[in-house]
Amino acid sequence: MLQAVLKIGGSLARDAALPELCRELSVCGLKHPVLVVPGGGLFADAVRDCHRRFPLGESAAHWMAILGMDQFGLLLADLTPGARTVTDPDAAAATAKEGHVPILLPSAWLRRLDPLPHSWDVTSDSIAAWTAASLRASTVVLVKDRDGLYGDDPRRDAWASHRPVMGLDELPACRGVDSHLPKVLAQYGLECWVINGKRPERLAALLATGHTEGTRVPPLAC
């Protein structure tokens, strides 16, 4: 069983720290069974640009953005020593069991199951959470380019500071994650963390101890 699903935000592709994060992913994969879900980043941004310029339907934009996740996944796999790309949950579990980092190229699997709405409300955040639930991982870690989530104070930028804990009921007003994510977390009872990928040691600490610097969104109490 996977310990966690790690969404590596596409915004990190713009940062020189990405190779260091990928090296840390490789080390973590030797100790912890994890699965990496890639963000969309520059590739999804190209789809957003097309959506603004042309009368592109929601479904076309949805699948184009998911193909962008595949592209970023190939980049992550090339930068992560010992990583292997996978396209389905069975391959992910087998790869993690061998001590390698499985990096999901999600388009084929999602196309077959089509589990989520076709909307920009759904990004790789929600896809990572749905993937965690599907693979029975209790935790989804959103590795982004900032320290965590701030909240809904309109006087402050969403990334100006971060809260160590944020309730699930507060997420809909938070601009740091996609708007569909709270529904997925609530439906499946998942724990969620938002941490800074520019500080790879925080990911290592989270996987080793269950705690780190960032924002934790606890699961709903049963």
Side-chain angles (χ1 to χ4, degrees), residues 108-193:
W109 187 32
L110 293 178
R111 190 85 185 194
R112 186 167 70 250
L113 300 179
D114 199 9
L116 295 165
H118 297 184
S119 164
W120 286 112
D121 291 341
V122 174
T123 71
S124 53
D125 291 345
S126 288
I127 291 170
W130 176 84
T131 299
S134 299
L135 275 66
R136 299 183 181 179
S138 61
T139 302
V140 57
V141 183
L142 306 180
V143 184
K144 295 179 176 281
D145 64 350
R146 306 284 177 163
D147 286 335
L149 302 177
Y150 180 81
D152 62 349
D153 185 341
R155 297 168 299 176
R156 302 284 298 276
D157 182 84
W159 298 118
S161 183
H162 75 279
R163 301 250 303 273
V165 179
M166 181 175 287
L168 187 57
D169 60 336
E170 298 177 272
L171 276 189
C174 177
R175 292 178 290 159
V177 294
D178 75 45
S179 59
H180 191 72
L181 179 66
K183 298 177 184 178
V184 182
L185 297 178
Q187 180 179 356
Y188 296 107
L190 296 168
E191 175 186 55
C192 179
W193 280 85

